[in-house]
Amino acid sequence: MPTAYLNIGSNRGDRRRFLDEAIIHIHNAWPAAVLRTSPLVESPAWGYRSEQQFMNIGVALDFDSASEMPAPTAMLRTLQNIEKIISADSPHRNTDGTYRDRDIDIDIIDMDGVTIDTPQLTIPHPRAQARSFVTGPMQYLCPGWTAGHKGPTLKKSMSDLARPDIETFRAKEKLPVSVVLDNIRSLNNIGSIFRTADAFAVREVVLCGISATPPSPEIHKTALGAENSVSWRYFPTTAAALDTLCQEGNIPVCLEQVHGSVALNRYNRPPGTGLALIVGNEVAGVDPAIVERCHTYIEIPQAGTKHSLNVAVSTAIALWQLFAETLP
């Protein structure tokens, strides 16, 4: 339902009567629209000095369809005519361009989906956010409103995101990366890595040594079912896992801070090859013997005081970077 939002103000004469008259004329101009009003707001004059307080009210006109809502310039002309009907001699500005007291002032604040910027009219109103007598009524009429945006931000549903079911996910083409967990001790970290692997359609998670395997309530707590969608294998040692992965044609890449490492943002995965991305233990990092078996090391640039990031966070950042390279 498209909506036009107006603000009516008066700081001279019988202010309440002028506002009531304006509302009646607006309703008569668009009788098919549902008219809603905000509570009254009183405030000092904005943009100039005045002894007179302004009284303002917000008005919303809900139209059944976009075709029923008038064009912005047509609505402006109608509102200007209403101003003249109510007060034939109530200009908004002095001859030098400064604001003045006035019987009636009707502004278009916003119109759903409309953006316009002409000498005569700008929508959304360019100064709306700076005026509490506008933002207050707008929040009442349209909670969460900001200029150019109607209502609170709505989170996307699974349907909106078009997420595949597990069987479709398993059959789809994957990012050719095997995430090798070198003796990860925290089941929560393992679960988080599973969930990241699902998000970026990673080929598999390879669990090594003391790394726990599904099914596990603790893994499920952070994986939230991703342990069922992402393929995984277990090897008693990381060395055995690397033997198999290298035989399958994967390049071993170590996510570790070593001399000669490449900044993640500067690493380019060789085209047409799979990676065995090795991530290490929460305390000791990747086993030195495994580090020696690798020829490529990637490191996440950091600017803080701590030595490194949590292994699940590091893995997520690295996988996002690799995944981003595949995006159109």
Side-chain angles (χ1 to χ4, degrees):
M1 178 181 293
T3 303
Y5 297 95
L6 314 176
N7 191 274
I8 311 171
S10 173
N11 80 325
R12 194 172 71 175
D14 191 341
R15 300 174 301 165
R16 182 59 187 268
R17 179 174 64 83
F18 290 144
L19 298 185
D20 289 342
E21 286 185 21
I23 292 170
I24 292 171
H25 284 295
I26 290 168
H27 175 70
N28 290 338
W30 298 285
V34 175
L35 187 149
R36 297 179 288 119
T37 60
S38 74
L40 292 168
V41 175
E42 289 200 73
S43 61
W46 189 94
Y48 75 108
R49 293 182 178 277
S50 175
E51 297 289 329
Q52 310 298 321
Q53 288 272 105
F54 264 88
M55 181 179 286
N56 289 80
I57 192 169
V59 173
L61 291 169
D62 300 320
F63 295 88
D64 284 337
S65 65
S67 61
E68 291 189 6
M69 189 162 68
T73 52
M75 174 169 276
L76 176 65
R77 287 194 298 270
T78 300
L79 295 175
Q80 289 173 337
N81 288 333
I82 291 173
E83 288 177 338
K84 291 177 182 177
I85 292 170
I86 295 172
S87 177
D89 182 28
S90 184
H92 301 172
R93 296 176 184 267
N94 297 307
T95 54
D96 63 358
T98 57
Y99 287 111
R100 58 173 290 175
D101 293 341
R102 44 210 181 270
D103 297 340
I104 194 71
D105 186 3
I106 309 174
D107 287 329
I108 302 174
I109 304 303
D110 207 348
M111 298 178 74
D112 287 351
V114 173
T115 301
I116 185 172
D117 188 2
T118 70
Q120 294 76 35
L121 179 63
T122 300
I123 299 175
H125 195 290
R127 292 173 293 280
Q129 294 291 126
R131 299 173 172 180
S132 60
F133 57 87
V134 173
T135 57
M138 283 300 301
Q139 289 298 323
Y140 179 87
L141 296 169
C142 185
W145 175 88
T146 57
H149 173 69
K150 179 183 179 181
T153 301
L154 299 178
K155 293 184 179 180
K156 291 182 179 180
S157 65
M158 288 290 284
S159 176
D160 295 328
L161 293 167
R163 294 290 191 254
D165 57 32
I166 289 180
E167 293 306 316
T168 303
F169 176 83
R170 286 175 175 167
K172 73 183 295 184
E173 184 178 356
K174 300 295 194 303
L175 185 69
V177 176
S178 296
V179 186
V180 181
L181 276 57
D182 178 31
N183 291 288
I184 302 300
R185 65 180 184 178
S186 166
L187 278 69
N188 287 334
N189 281 336
I190 293 171
S192 293
I193 291 170
F194 265 104
R195 189 170 178 182
T196 299
D198 174 277
F200 302 134
V202 169
R203 178 176 56 198
E204 65 176 342
V205 172
V206 179
L207 303 149
C208 305
I210 66 169
S211 303
T213 63
S216 161
E218 288 300 310
I219 291 176
H220 180 75
K221 188 180 297 183
T222 48
L224 298 179
E227 73 274 27
N228 299 318
S229 60
V230 177
S231 297
W232 61 272
R233 289 187 275 178
Y234 174 77
F235 291 84
T237 67
T238 305
L242 275 189
D243 288 340
T244 299
L245 288 165
C246 289
Q247 289 172 6
E248 294 171 350
N250 296 288
I251 298 174
V253 175
C254 188
L255 183 61
E256 187 60 278
Q257 297 164 317
V258 300
H259 293 289
S261 61
V262 178
L264 176 61
N265 57 304
R266 297 183 181 278
Y267 175 72
N268 294 311
R269 179 170 62 88
T273 61
L275 296 186
L277 179 67
I278 306 153
V279 299
N281 176 270
E282 291 89 340
V283 176
V286 178
D287 187 295
I290 299 301
V291 172
E292 292 300 323
R293 293 190 55 175
C294 300
H295 301 290
T296 303
Y297 311 95
I298 55 178
E299 179 178 340
I300 300 170
Q302 299 176 50
T305 63
K306 306 307 293 181
H307 180 272
S308 62
L309 294 163
N310 168 271
V311 63
V313 173
S314 298
T315 304
I317 293 171
L319 290 178
W320 158 247
Q321 182 71 21
L322 295 170
F323 174 74
E325 293 174 0
T326 69
L327 297 176

